[in-house]
Amino acid sequence: MILILLCALVGLAPPTDVRAYDTPSDGGGEVVVEWRLSTDDETIDGYDIYRSENGADFVKVGFIGKNRSSYGDRTEDGVTYQYKVAVVSDTLRSFSQPSAEVASSASWINVAKLNIYVAMILFGGLILYFIYHARKGKKLFIRKIAGLQAIDDAVGRATEMGKPILYTLGLGYIEDIATIASLNILGEVAKKTAQYDTKLIVPNADPIVYTVAREIVKESYTKVGRPDAYDPDSVFFLAREQMAYAAGIDGIMTRERPATNFLVGYFAAESLVLAETGAATGAIQIAGTDALAQLPFFVTACDYTLIGEELYAASAYISKRPLLLGAIKGEDWAKVIIATALILASVIGLLSRFPILNLFQ
Amino acid sequence: MNISTDPWIWISSILSLAILSFLYRENPFFRAAEHIFLGVANGYLVTFYWHRILMPILFRPLFQQGDLLLIIPFTIGILYLTRFIPRISWLVRIPIAIYMGYWTGVLIPATIQAQIIKQVQGTVLTSANFQSWNAGAWGIVWSVIVFIGVLCTLSYFYFSREHKGVIGVTSRVGIVFVMIGFGAAFGYTVMARISLLIGKLQFLLGDWLGLIR
């Protein structure tokens, strides 16, 4: 009562129009409190936010500086809250009227991300459409990719020299697209090494990738009728730690002297260490990654490099699986749509006042 | 000269020199350091997963606090070990499929937003984008160059046609843009690697031998 009297005496104007609403398009657990700034905003310290839970007394839950008119409060979903906002100036407080009751809840749809949803449906639909046609037996054309033509030569060279082939999947996890593409290529390389009876070495940096790689190599040897030639020790776990992995592979390269090195998958700073060591041993090197920062090193130190999406296309081209061919075809059409969207959006952006960039937030 | 008396700095320095000796050729010192590095890294990994993940997140809540919902991830995890029993080793495909399915679902929307929507936003020709380059009148020129570069690079990664005719020309322009980008990335990364080398030399010459401060 004394404080209210003091406020009245010094004329500290409270904030008005306090409004509380559930934060839209979120996972729940937050209420936004908004208010009209006090007319004394320039001279005050800020605003205290008070909350009443299920009709109980108001308790302070936060403070925000002056010239700010909204506050996000962490809440428990399903509980009813009311809010008051108080102007703070030194020890003085001037309270607003309480807001209407509000309860937070999770939203089913994030309206702000509708554009991503539309893109997902569109691109996903295209890919499914082409996979369907590829499975029906429709021939889908994919242009030749330079690095792939070298695989046969590389395996043949290793066979003639009586030396092994080293296949490195990089540091990627099983969910990385580069790792998945690399596993597809590994399957085809393993078929060739099985046919030519060439030793294959596959060191791994991730336990799950190792498990999958092992299954793939074993399956490839079985598919070409050489299950007896499969050596379970040819696929092994080396190390998860980046530079320990690099040191281990460097050691293999210099001791085993592979005739061909495949560096295909996701790589980080160890890329140049591996590619340079491989080049120094005189091996043919075929690299492929979608790690943009590492591609320059592969381009300079390897004989063939699959750049970014070429790696994904290569896995489809080499395996000829309808699933992958359809996906690449769908991606090609997605690129056409993106290019068209770029041109149309630019024309609209340059010739009209329509806020076209808002569509791409 | 003020040589370090800390045994850990000595161990670290000797192992560093053993690894660096690879620059000359593969040798027993490098081989020893390589095997120690691999052993320590894998030992650390196992300890880390046991103490930081398995015990606090799975075993203690499940077996000591009775959080029975954790039986689901526990069972999925156990399926990985079926690989060692040939008769049921096919079960290993279940946790791998769950893991891949989960991450695919998580990554697809994030990738579309970060690598498609945002790139389109930054490439579209509008007055707002001209200004975002902070290059004055040159902002228009750079924006147009980037716009052409993105379209040509897209055509390079178009796999449904041979690179002949119009696509042949645009894809050649596209790969020039790609190579310019690689050149810039190469220089930038080499600079970063030089700073790592300087850090290692500072450690050897400063912390270990005390020759520099």
Side-chain angles (χ1 to χ4, degrees), chain A residues 143 238 255 310 332 335, chain B residues 26 34 42 156-157 159-160:
Chain A
R143 69 171 165 82
L238 192 61
R255 284 190 291 275
E310 278 184 338
D332 270 358
K335 281 170 220 155
Chain B
E26 209 267 348
E34 174 203 331
N42 285 333
Y156 176 82
F157 290 103
F159 299 102
S160 296

Side-chain angles (χ1 to χ4, degrees), chain A residues 56-191:
Chain A
D57 290 342
F58 281 87
V59 179
K60 183 183 164 185
V61 289
F63 171 81
I64 196 161
K66 63 181 180 180
N67 205 22
R68 313 251 313 256
S69 59
S70 75
Y71 178 83
D73 183 36
R74 302 302 304 167
T75 55
E76 196 179 321
D77 287 349
V79 176
T80 307
Y81 299 98
Q82 267 189 301
Y83 289 87
K84 274 184 187 178
V85 180
V87 162
V88 180
S89 180
D90 202 6
T91 55
L92 297 178
R93 303 281 184 281
S94 177
F95 287 86
S96 70
Q97 291 297 314
S99 70
E101 289 184 340
V102 63
S104 64
S105 63
S107 309
W108 282 99
I109 295 174
N110 185 347
V111 182
K113 293 191 172 176
L114 265 181
N115 53 358
I116 296 170
Y117 183 70
V118 170
M120 261 175 63
I121 296 290
L122 189 63
F123 298 158
L126 275 170
I127 288 169
L128 288 176
Y129 173 80
F130 282 107
I131 289 173
Y132 172 76
H133 281 282
R135 282 192 168 154
K136 282 268 179 188
K138 190 178 175 186
K139 252 184 126 48
L140 299 177
F141 173 80
I142 289 186
R143 69 171 165 82
K144 284 181 182 172
I145 297 162
L148 291 182
Q149 310 302 313
I151 290 181
D152 270 332
D153 299 341
V155 178
R157 180 176 183 261
T159 311
E160 281 171 17
M161 294 172 78
K163 288 184 172 180
I165 286 174
L166 176 72
Y167 196 104
T168 313
L169 287 139
L171 293 175
Y173 296 97
I174 194 68
E175 69 269 18
D176 291 325
I177 305 170
T179 308
I180 297 168
S182 179
L183 286 166
N184 285 324
I185 296 173
L186 170 65
E188 298 306 313
V189 171
K191 279 182 192 166

Side-chain angles (χ1 to χ4, degrees), chain A residues 120 141-143 174-175 208 211 214 238-239 244 254-255 269 296 307 310 329 332 335 346 360-361, chain B residues 26 31 34 38 42 80 83 99 103 112 117 121 125 147 156-161 163 182 193:
Chain A
M120 261 175 63
F141 173 80
I142 289 186
R143 69 171 165 82
I174 194 68
E175 69 269 18
I208 299 172
T211 312
R214 203 165 180 271
L238 192 61
T254 47
R255 284 190 291 275
I307 301 169
E310 278 184 338
K329 211 71 179 170
D332 270 358
K335 281 170 220 155
S346 296
F360 304 106
Q361 293 292 346
Chain B
E26 209 267 348
R31 211 173 301 167
E34 174 203 331
L38 281 166
N42 285 333
Y80 271 114
R83 196 173 67 74
Y99 186 84
W103 279 107
I112 288 177
I117 305 269
Q121 189 194 38
L125 297 175
F147 183 78
Y156 176 82
F157 290 103
Y158 187 73
F159 299 102
S160 296
R161 288 269 170 85
H163 284 170
F182 284 172
R193 301 291 161 80

Side-chain angles (χ1 to χ4, degrees), chain A residues 182-239:
Chain A
S182 179
L183 286 166
N184 285 324
I185 296 173
L186 170 65
E188 298 306 313
V189 171
K191 279 182 192 166
K192 292 187 193 307
T193 58
Q195 284 164 344
Y196 293 122
D197 206 15
T198 308
K199 187 180 172 188
L200 178 67
I201 304 171
V202 189
N204 288 276
D206 182 74
I208 299 172
V209 174
Y210 154 61
T211 312
V212 179
R214 203 165 180 271
E215 291 296 312
I216 283 175
V217 172
K218 190 177 168 186
E219 198 176 300
S220 295
Y221 274 70
T222 310
K223 266 187 185 166
V224 296
R226 295 296 313 277
D228 54 304
Y230 169 66
D231 174 12
D233 293 335
S234 63
V235 187
F236 54 92
F237 177 76
L238 192 61

Side-chain angles (χ1 to χ4, degrees), chain B residues 59-70:
Chain B
F59 292 150
R60 265 189 224 124
L62 177 60
F63 297 118
Q64 289 179 5
Q65 295 156 20
D67 189 350
L68 294 178
L69 207 61
L70 289 172

